[in-house]
Amino acid sequence: MRRACTCCFTSRPPNINPQNSDCDKPSQSSVVTMTSTQENNASGVPEGMEESLTKLSPRAANILLNHDFSMGLQHWHPNCCNGYINLAESNNRDEAFINTCAKYAVVTDRNEGWHGLEQEITNNISPGTTYSVSASVGVSGSLQGSVDVLATLKLVYKDSTTNYLCIGRTSVLKEKWEKLEGTFSLSTMPDRVVFYLEGPSPGIDLLIQSVEITCACPNELETGIANAGDENISLNPRFDDDLKNWSGRGCKIALHDSMGNGKVLPQSGKFFASAMERLQSWNGIQQEITGRVQRKVAYDVAAVVRVFGNNITSTDVRATLWVQTPNSREQYIGIANVQATDKDWVQLQGKFLLNASPSKVVIYIEGPPSGVDILIDSFVVKQAQKISSSPPPRAENLAYGFNIIMNNNLSNGTKGWFPLGSCTLSVGTGSPHIVPPMARDPLGPSQPLSGRYILATNRTETWMGPAQMITDKVKPFHTYQVSAWVKIGSRATGAQIVNVAVGVDDQWVNGGQVEISNDRWHEIGGSFRIEKQAEKIIVYVQGPAPSVDLMVAGLQVFPVDRRARLRYLRTQTDKIRKRDITLKFLGSCSGGIFVKVRQMQNSFPFGTCISRTNIDNEDFVNFFVKNFNWAVFGNELKWYWTEPQQGNFNYRDADELLDFCKSHNIETRGHCIFWEVQDTVQQWIHSLNKNDMMAAVHNRLTGLLTRYKGKFKHYDVNNEMLHGSFYQDHLGKDIRADMFKHANKLDPSALLFVNDYHVEDGCDGRSSPEKYVDQILQLQEQGAPVGGVGIQGHIDCPVGPIVCSALDKIGILGLPIWFTELDVSSINEHVRADDLEVMLREAYAHPAVEGIMLWGFWEMFMCRDNSHLVNAEGEINEAGKRYLALKQEWLSHASGQIDERSEFRFRGFQGTYEVQIVNGSKKTSKTFIVEKGDTPVEISIDL
């Protein structure tokens, strides 16, 4: 994706983030005899390991692997350049310069300022924690004066959004080491976090001696946990009392004051423990905490770990909870994982919550392959600190309907605009004269566009294009809509992505994206929001390949008046969701009869994602049953869950969830039969040849749909076909339609859905409404019985007209549309509540939408952080209160007297009603149901 930075503007090649495959867990193993050793010798250390181990002083753990390049460039990746390690004895640099560093990295062949050295740190950091960055850097090459070296974070999200955060900067003279320092803290956790060093001009070599990223306060987490609860759940957490309360899980454990001839020392305190002679990845150190943890209480876990031996330098280390329920059912709950190294101590942090009452609970550390020792310096489990509710954001009032872009009609040439990079800007004529449709209603009556456009030529990088500074015009906590007409030149070969980007200080924000494959004008629309005042904000248009001309007309950036939109949606909701209802009372009626009508339940589908462990929590169940009438299973029906290894089936979880839903009259969606994204497909399927894979696909269809025939109202047949093509690549272009056909034969009663993400928000050119419609039409042309359209709805900064535009475009198919995985995310509960209200009202007011499913509502059981409505211990937050308020608003109540024709008229939503008839001192109650529809309805009630 593209990004803006204060030193350069550039595009980056995509990175792949493979998913870790699931693995079976063994049952609880027997405890092996403990051993204890404190000898300072190399016993058990593989030959040559001593030289690779670095002696540590007691300090904060460095989360970077191979931070001093003692293992060459292992764990580091030269991004679009080359690198090598220089040693003091190489004598290819000025001697005075080189003597300051025994070993350092040289990053060379740099053709862009952002080319540099990077390392992924996703698993080593946690949101809300402050980290300090320190690096010793230099430069070499043909240069005069000083150049800047930057430390940067690349933040990659599931929705393909990529942001860049500058976290440190220093000026460096040729062949002189300088210290680069900075700090960072992430409020939410991206799917990937990559740290890298960059900055000097192309052709200048970047030199890096050592790099450290440490928790700014090493005991910060433990301090926070200590204040949260009265007691530490784990006993002897720092091994001050030998190995008391600890045992080996399928292995031996030992106590040490050092290892590797004194090169491995405790991170804090006097001792650390090790899990040794491990034969399986699940072997490790454990402690039983039965009776010290309570159900429905959130706990924080903090450990300091590293690995040793077997010539391994880094590996995954995990904290896991093994739970046995009174009915002897076993559960394995993943708490946290981190990439641990044999060089430094690293922090392992996570949370857990027990839904059911356990008969036994064991917490343990596991993960590395056999033969690798796990070292543990400390292991703290504390009741999680309660986080106070976030206050409403203080947002300034703005004049709505006002475009903040200066000279957007180009009547003053390019005044107010500047070229980003070395491209050339000029003004042309022949662009559309109408405001882009998605912006027309929010802007209100406006003058036609001038027909002039800004032309960017001589583009040598994808990020080059027209730009404008908007720093003083953007206010925190306001959502801004973005809209424009864009077009590309004739030199393009293949489809091109055009993007409206917003550079907020050193971060990049996606303001809208469209894919263009012809020479016509295209509408682009999106949104953005900032939550603190920025020093510099730039809006710019970018994206086509170098040498492709870019044309932009009528760029609009304006604050969204949500209150005006909500007033409109209330009117639309009345038209779309209500019916004129006449109650006709039969039997003897006399004048003066009073009726009171109260709607008990709206039958429009409002559902949520649930999991098997959720239904052991009665608080979860009470909220769910009271406030939802549909359910979808988060994982329990997916193929990797029901058949993790070929022929090894697990339907127990799905069966129990189905029985639970049936007992509460909850309808269910089947998610999903297949998942087209490669990283979600089990390894055993990857290893099959074409014929065996085809057989496995048909077995999956037959086994699943025969077992559950008639039990799921919907199926997502092949999830995310706009973003993946695994089965199509392996089995041919007809396989997708064949999946639908075969599923329909096996269970004709189920509606068969397509399902994908970012269809509704304008931020992903791969999944535009137009592309989704084309895909569905192609499936139908191949005979696929597509019965419904699923829009997932994982959205940020939603804007009503953009969402509505997508629904209108997909609605032309005449198929029912469902929001299938709706969630909104903001650390501020009030902002989250506003976003949720926007999405619920837009969906409920649109005639093509026939159901809304949230992707969860309970903290710690959701896909995205800061998206829950109810916290882990059952307290309803502002977003949850807003949801409940809307559910109440969408219930109809009326009262009055029966008229002379023994009738009572009112307008109400579909669903179940109770009417109370008062005739003098006599009171009678009846119930009736209003079915879905938009025409007047008469309900006869026999008195």
Side-chain angles (χ1 to χ4, degrees):
M1 298 298 292
R2 289 86 189 153
R3 63 105 175 193
C5 185
T6 54
C7 62
C8 61
F9 296 86
T10 185
S11 64
R12 303 298 178 94
N15 287 292
I16 298 173
N17 182 25
Q19 269 192 321
N20 294 326
S21 58
D22 293 325
C23 59
D24 283 344
K25 306 265 185 174
S27 59
Q28 184 186 23
S29 61
S30 59
V31 176
V32 179
T33 304
M34 297 181 290
T35 61
S36 176
T37 178
Q38 297 184 26
E39 293 88 13
N40 293 331
N41 57 43
S43 176
V45 181
E47 185 177 351
M49 178 59 74
E50 293 88 348
E51 293 301 317
S52 68
L53 293 172
T54 303
K55 186 173 182 179
L56 284 178
S57 59
R59 57 176 172 81
N62 186 3
I63 69 172
L64 287 175
L65 306 178
N66 186 26
H67 72 285
D68 58 359
F69 307 103
S70 59
M71 294 181 286
L73 286 176
Q74 188 170 354
H75 305 298
W76 293 94
H77 172 65
N79 188 7
C80 300
C81 53
N82 291 311
Y84 60 90
I85 299 301
N86 217 353
L87 303 175
E89 59 269 26
S90 61
N91 293 324
N92 62 351
R93 303 237 174 231
D94 180 82
E95 189 171 347
F97 176 60
I98 197 170
N99 284 342
T100 64
C101 178
K103 186 177 289 187
Y104 58 93
V106 181
V107 188
T108 189
D109 298 331
R110 300 176 58 258
N111 298 319
E112 296 286 348
W114 55 267
H115 290 175
L117 201 61
E118 67 181 24
Q119 182 175 141
E120 182 168 352
I121 58 173
T122 311
N123 294 327
N124 296 352
I125 62 174
S126 299
T129 301
T130 301
Y131 296 90
S132 295
V133 180
S134 177
S136 182
V137 297
V139 292
S140 183
S142 300
L143 74 158
Q144 298 291 329
S146 64
V147 296
D148 282 353
V149 175
L150 285 75
T152 306
L153 288 186
K154 175 179 172 182
L155 312 175
V156 184
Y157 298 86
K158 179 185 177 182
D159 60 8
S160 302
T161 300
T162 302
N163 295 339
Y164 294 86
L165 176 64
C166 183
I167 56 176
R169 177 195 302 265
T170 189
S171 294
V172 184
L173 295 171
K174 181 179 180 181
E175 299 191 342
K176 182 178 180 181
W177 292 109
E178 294 288 350
K179 194 170 185 179
L180 186 158
E181 295 181 309
T183 62
F184 69 90
S185 178
L186 303 179
S187 60
T188 59
M189 194 64 192
D191 292 274
R192 294 185 66 228
V193 182
V194 179
F195 168 82
Y196 62 98
L197 294 164
E198 60 169 341
S201 304
I204 304 299
D205 290 352
L206 172 60
L207 314 179
I208 308 166
Q209 178 179 354
S210 64
V211 194
E212 291 189 354
I213 301 179
T214 59
C215 181
C217 176
N219 296 318
E220 182 180 85
L221 180 65
E222 292 185 11
T223 301
I225 295 174
N227 292 334
D230 294 330
E231 295 182 1
N232 184 3
I233 301 304
S234 61
L235 304 178
N236 189 23
R238 295 175 179 83
F239 309 102
D240 296 323
D241 194 9
D242 206 301
L243 293 171
K244 185 178 180 180
N245 303 113
W246 295 96
S247 62
R249 190 173 182 82
C251 62
K252 294 182 179 180
I253 64 172
L255 189 71
H256 310 267
D257 58 8
S258 68
M259 291 181 71
N261 284 332
K263 295 179 179 178
V264 181
L265 298 174
Q267 193 257 1
S268 62
K270 297 180 180 179
F271 304 105
F272 60 90
S274 68
M276 310 170 68
E277 300 182 22
R278 300 175 58 256
L279 302 179
Q280 302 288 338
S281 63
W282 53 268
N283 295 158
I285 189 169
Q286 66 179 5
Q287 182 173 139
E288 184 175 347
I289 55 175
T290 309
R292 302 200 298 276
V293 288
Q294 305 173 47
R295 62 188 295 254
K296 301 191 297 182
V297 174
Y299 293 92
D300 279 319
V301 176
V304 176
V305 298
R306 65 189 291 172
V307 292
F308 184 86
N310 205 27
N311 295 318
I312 197 163
T313 56
S314 69
T315 184
D316 190 52
V317 173
R318 299 188 296 271
T320 305
L321 205 67
W322 178 83
V323 181
Q324 187 176 60
T325 60
N327 62 359
S328 297
R329 182 171 187 156
E330 295 180 340
Q331 297 175 346
Y332 291 86
I333 301 173
I335 299 172
N337 71 304
V338 69
Q339 195 71 17
T341 171
D342 68 344
K343 286 293 184 184
D344 294 302
W345 294 101
V346 296
Q347 291 188 351
L348 178 69
Q349 302 175 11
K351 300 179 80 170
F352 72 86
L353 178 140
L354 299 175
N355 282 308
S357 296
S359 59
K360 192 170 185 179
V361 185
V362 176
I363 192 166
Y364 63 99
I365 302 288
E366 61 167 338
S370 61
V372 178
D373 294 349
I374 305 174
L375 311 186
I376 307 97
D377 181 81
S378 63
F379 196 108
V380 178
V381 182
K382 288 274 190 176
Q383 186 174 332
Q385 188 173 11
K386 291 186 180 296
I387 300 175
S388 58
S389 177
S390 49
R394 295 178 60 186
E396 299 180 26
N397 292 325
L398 295 183
Y400 295 108
F402 175 72
N403 184 14
I404 68 174
I405 296 298
M406 174 184 177
N407 187 29
N408 82 309
N409 63 6
L410 305 173
S411 58
N412 293 322
T414 59
K415 183 179 179 180
W417 297 89
F418 62 90
L420 200 59
S422 59
C423 63
T424 303
L425 302 185
S426 60
V427 176
T429 58
S431 60
H433 286 267
I434 61 172
V435 173
M438 281 185 281
R440 204 169 300 152
D441 289 340
L443 285 175
S446 57
Q447 296 294 322
L449 299 181
S450 65
R452 290 184 288 270
Y453 61 87
I454 194 164
L455 172 65
T457 57
N458 301 319
R459 299 176 61 256
T460 59
E461 299 288 347
T462 58
W463 49 266
M464 291 184 178
Q468 190 167 132
M469 197 73 69
I470 57 173
T471 308
D472 297 332
K473 301 174 183 178
V474 176
K475 304 301 179 184
F477 298 110
H478 283 277
T479 298
Y480 287 81
Q481 184 173 343
V482 178
S483 191
W485 292 111
V486 291
K487 183 180 177 182
I488 58 174
S490 58
R491 292 185 182 180
T493 56
Q496 303 287 314
I497 292 290
V498 175
N499 166 244
V500 177
V502 183
V504 182
D505 289 334
D506 295 311
Q507 297 188 52
W508 175 90
V509 178
N510 186 350
Q513 189 182 98
V514 66
E515 186 177 85
I516 301 177
S517 56
N518 53 43
D519 61 354
R520 297 196 298 269
W521 288 95
H522 290 256
E523 180 183 16
I524 188 169
S527 62
F528 70 92
R529 178 173 58 224
I530 65 172
E531 297 192 356
K532 65 178 180 179
Q533 189 62 55
E535 294 183 5
K536 182 168 67 174
I537 306 176
I538 303 171
V539 61
Y540 60 102
V541 187
Q542 57 155 4
S547 79
V548 177
D549 293 346
L550 173 61
M551 290 156 267
V552 183
L555 177 62
Q556 315 278 336
V557 177
F558 53 93
V560 176
D561 185 358
R562 283 182 163 174
R563 286 177 295 181
R565 180 70 182 177
L566 295 185
R567 288 194 293 270
Y568 162 78
L569 291 174
R570 288 188 180 96
T571 302
Q572 284 298 104
T573 298
D574 187 274
K575 293 179 181 177
I576 300 300
R577 298 299 172 193
K578 285 186 173 181
R579 302 181 71 175
D580 288 324
I581 303 166
T582 300
L583 301 183
K584 297 180 70 69
F585 294 92
L586 308 178
S588 68
C589 290
S590 59
I593 297 178
F594 184 83
V595 297
K596 183 178 181 180
V597 179
R598 180 170 175 262
Q599 187 172 7
M600 309 299 292
Q601 185 179 47
N602 189 318
S603 58
F604 182 89
F606 288 100
T608 183
C609 170
I610 62 174
S611 68
R612 171 57 192 84
T613 60
N614 292 150
I615 64 176
D616 294 327
N617 185 334
E618 65 272 18
D619 294 335
F620 180 101
V621 170
N622 289 340
F623 189 94
F624 167 65
V625 171
K626 185 176 180 181
N627 298 296
F628 299 97
N629 53 15
W630 276 68
V632 62
F633 308 160
N635 287 301
E636 287 80 355
L637 209 67
K638 291 171 181 170
W639 197 1
Y640 61 65
W641 191 278
T642 62
E643 193 179 5
Q645 285 84 36
Q646 190 169 16
N648 181 12
F649 295 99
N650 169 31
Y651 288 113
R652 180 181 177 183
D653 294 329
D655 289 348
E656 292 183 2
L657 283 172
L658 265 177
D659 290 342
F660 165 78
C661 290
K662 183 179 179 181
S663 68
H664 292 283
N665 297 315
I666 304 290
E667 301 285 6
T668 51
R669 301 190 75 251
H671 176 78
C672 53
I673 304 176
F674 300 102
W675 198 343
E676 189 74 305
V677 177
Q678 178 169 320
D679 291 343
T680 67
V681 179
Q682 312 89 297
Q683 191 56 48
W684 69 263
I685 298 175
H686 282 266
S687 65
L688 299 176
N689 60 39
K690 182 176 181 179
N691 290 337
D692 289 343
M693 188 180 295
M694 184 68 79
V697 165
H698 282 279
N699 289 340
R700 161 68 171 173
L701 281 162
T702 302
L704 184 74
L705 277 81
T706 300
R707 181 184 186 91
Y708 296 119
K709 185 174 182 178
K711 295 184 178 180
F712 288 100
K713 297 292 185 180
H714 301 168
Y715 280 106
D716 295 326
V717 176
N718 192 1
N719 198 37
E720 298 176 2
M721 292 185 288
L722 291 171
H723 291 89
S725 58
F726 176 83
Y727 294 104
Q728 184 171 263
D729 292 343
H730 287 79
L731 301 177
K733 62 182 180 64
D734 294 331
I735 186 61
R736 292 176 169 179
D738 289 344
M739 289 173 173
F740 276 84
K741 294 175 188 176
H742 196 43
N744 182 247
K745 289 180 181 177
L746 290 165
D747 190 350
S749 66
L751 277 182
L752 304 181
F753 276 68
V754 293
N755 194 48
D756 227 305
Y757 61 91
H758 282 329
V759 178
E760 76 290 344
D761 58 10
C763 72
D764 188 346
R766 295 171 299 175
S767 53
S768 66
E770 293 83 359
K771 283 183 173 292
Y772 209 16
V773 169
D774 287 345
Q775 183 183 85
I776 295 165
L777 291 174
Q778 290 174 17
L779 286 168
Q780 291 177 329
E781 288 172 1
Q782 293 176 278
V786 180
V789 181
I791 300 175
Q792 290 183 10
H794 303 291
I795 191 170
D796 295 301
C797 309
V799 172
I802 296 175
V803 175
C804 185
S805 173
L807 295 173
D808 288 344
K809 292 171 182 177
I810 298 170
I812 66 172
L813 293 168
L815 296 172
I817 298 173
W818 281 59
F819 277 96
T820 55
E821 304 179 17
L822 177 62
D823 61 20
V824 296
S825 177
S826 174
I827 197 169
N828 186 294
E829 296 173 11
H830 298 269
V831 174
R832 192 188 318 161
D834 290 342
D835 286 349
L836 181 63
E837 181 174 4
V838 168
M839 291 304 297
L840 292 176
R841 287 196 184 276
E842 290 292 340
Y844 196 55
H846 200 282
V849 176
E850 295 191 7
I852 302 170
M853 307 289 295
L854 303 185
W855 200 240
F857 62 91
W858 201 273
E859 185 185 13
M860 296 176 62
F861 295 96
M862 299 196 68
C863 181
R864 291 206 291 173
D865 291 335
N866 302 310
S867 58
H868 57 280
L869 313 187
V870 184
N871 74 10
E873 297 178 357
E875 295 175 353
I876 302 171
N877 61 31
E878 291 299 323
K881 293 174 184 176
R882 190 73 57 88
Y883 173 75
L884 296 179
L886 289 172
K887 289 294 298 295
Q888 284 298 315
E889 181 181 323
W890 294 330
L891 294 175
S892 300
H893 308 299
S895 60
Q897 289 189 326
I898 298 175
D899 64 17
E900 65 277 3
R901 291 179 293 182
S902 298
E903 295 178 348
F904 179 77
R905 294 178 176 83
F906 70 101
R907 187 164 174 80
F909 295 105
Q910 66 188 58
T912 303
Y913 288 80
E914 179 185 72
V915 57
Q916 187 179 78
I917 305 105
V918 181
N919 188 1
S921 60
K922 182 181 179 182
K923 293 182 180 180
T924 306
S925 294
K926 302 284 186 178
T927 59
F928 62 92
I929 295 175
V930 175
E931 302 288 351
K932 175 185 173 183
D934 54 9
T935 58
V937 61
E938 290 187 352
I939 306 290
S940 296
I941 297 178
D942 192 349
L943 294 178

